[in-house]
Amino acid sequence: MKKGLILEGGAMRGLFTAGVIDVMMEHGIVYDGAIGVSAGAAFGCNYKSGQIGRVLRYNTRFCADKRYSGFGVLIKTGNIYSTEFCYGEVPLRYDVFDFDAYRRNPMSFYVVCTDVETGEAVYHAYEGTEESGFDWIRASASMPFVSQIVEIDGRKLLDGGIADSIPVRYFESLGYDRSVVVLTQPLGYHKRANPFAPLMKLMYKQYPRLVETMANRHLHYNETLAYIREREQKGELLVIRPPMDLPVGKVEKNPERLREAYRIGREEAEKRLPEILSFLGETQAEGGKRP
């Protein structure tokens, strides 16, 4: 049995995911591998570094900081989340990411990006080195329209959610046959066609395959949700999703709303904990906490 953790994106809806993974870390739940898309990558990497509470801590501290995110940052840098501050100063100075712990943990961690020239998903095993920093994480979380294209090793990349929002099939292709999927939309959510199709064609006219992938994103997403639901009902996947629409915006400036989304995630994970442990074939860690 190969145990996997699959983390959907969703910008600041990812605080729900942060609550879920913190509870799982606190209870010593171990996976062979994890894969994150967009915010799922940016927040999920803390599972491998074992940094419980870090996602909530730095997001509530800096969400209203003009250096961190917002339209002022977008106008100045071309990115709604500051490359220098979010992926430089915060993890290297203000709330330090533990690269050593990340590398020591044998769990594999993958991030998903979208190649803007091919319109296809790119899956990358993120090694976690200070030299390469968070470039792959940043690329995975670079939302279209409000982020610059990230170039890595000759590839031009954007948000992984464009091409593969919930990479269940990819993880299955790697042999992960016992996976927990964390979604950031409630049961019954149905993605609609992108209402900004004309702008999309204009802004990315030099990348026709990206435009095509973006135009069809809702179809692929909804089909993937149906596949996940089918597998869930058969007991082949365990899915954790919010019980309602989360009270946060994509660029949330209110720390209390972030705390509420996080609280909902924790509450859902704690409620489902016996089910999670049973599904993964684990027993409760002594004292209910990570040793």
Side-chain angles (χ1 to χ4, degrees):
M1 181 171 67
K2 197 171 180 181
K3 296 181 285 187
L5 177 63
I6 300 168
L7 306 174
E8 183 184 14
M12 285 304 158
R13 293 198 308 274
L15 266 293
F16 171 85
T17 301
V20 172
I21 64 176
D22 277 0
V23 168
M24 290 194 290
M25 282 193 283
E26 288 167 2
H27 289 271
I29 295 175
V30 176
Y31 292 93
D32 298 299
I35 187 167
V37 182
S38 195
F43 298 166
C45 60
N46 292 277
Y47 206 111
K48 185 169 164 64
S49 65
Q51 291 178 274
I52 298 168
R54 181 174 177 271
V55 175
L56 178 68
R57 190 169 59 241
Y58 74 76
N59 275 290
T60 53
R61 179 180 176 185
F62 294 112
C63 66
D65 193 313
K66 293 180 179 179
R67 297 171 295 173
Y68 191 68
S69 65
F71 289 103
V73 175
L74 177 63
I75 292 169
K76 184 178 179 180
T77 69
N79 295 292
I80 202 159
Y81 284 95
S82 168
T83 296
E84 181 180 341
F85 193 76
C86 295
Y87 298 100
E89 292 190 50
V90 170
L92 299 179
R93 176 184 174 189
Y94 291 114
D95 201 320
V96 177
F97 183 77
D98 194 337
F99 284 102
D100 289 337
Y102 184 96
R103 288 191 291 268
R104 287 195 304 268
N105 189 335
M107 181 184 83
S108 300
F109 188 77
Y110 298 82
V111 302
V112 185
C113 303
T114 299
D115 187 313
V116 303
E117 295 180 317
T118 66
E120 297 177 351
V122 176
Y123 306 96
H124 176 77
Y126 179 63
E127 300 297 332
T129 59
E130 292 91 334
E131 291 77 13
S132 62
F134 290 93
D135 286 350
W136 280 98
I137 302 287
R138 178 167 61 92
S140 181
S142 289
M143 297 180 288
F145 302 115
V146 293
S147 304
Q148 293 183 328
I149 291 170
V150 180
E151 295 194 31
I152 305 175
D153 298 334
R155 304 184 93 156
K156 298 179 179 180
L157 306 169
L158 276 177
D159 194 321
I162 300 169
D164 194 357
S165 296
I166 317 168
V168 172
R169 286 188 174 92
Y170 175 73
F171 238 32
E172 289 175 346
S173 76
L174 296 183
Y176 290 91
D177 55 358
R178 207 69 178 162
S179 291
V180 173
V181 182
V182 182
L183 303 179
T184 58
Q185 295 283 11
L187 183 64
Y189 174 77
H190 186 83
K191 185 177 286 295
R192 298 180 180 180
N194 194 322
F196 300 106
L199 176 60
M200 178 175 65
K201 290 180 181 179
L202 179 63
M203 186 168 182
Y204 296 109
K205 61 183 179 181
Q206 68 270 48
Y207 304 114
R209 293 181 180 176
L210 174 69
V211 171
E212 181 180 1
T213 299
M214 292 173 71
N216 293 324
R217 182 185 179 187
H218 66 294
L219 301 175
H220 181 248
Y221 183 90
N222 292 332
E223 188 278 329
T224 301
L225 279 184
Y227 176 77
I228 288 171
R229 183 62 173 155
E230 178 184 352
R231 299 266 286 150
E232 178 187 20
Q233 291 175 328
K234 291 179 179 178
E236 297 168 344
L237 287 174
L238 191 146
V239 182
I240 302 173
R241 53 173 69 82
M244 76 287 282
D245 290 335
L246 294 169
V248 290
K250 283 192 173 183
V251 185
E252 184 57 64
K253 295 293 188 179
N254 186 334
E256 291 307 314
R257 290 180 181 173
L258 296 178
R259 290 189 183 96
E260 177 63 9
Y262 176 83
R263 183 198 65 78
I264 294 169
R266 285 195 62 93
E267 188 175 88
E268 198 64 21
E270 288 166 351
K271 181 175 70 175
R272 303 284 300 280
L273 186 61
E275 188 181 352
I276 296 168
L277 292 168
S278 176
F279 178 78
L280 295 173
E282 294 196 7
T283 56
Q284 177 66 67
E286 184 178 353
K289 302 291 182 183
R290 177 180 290 276

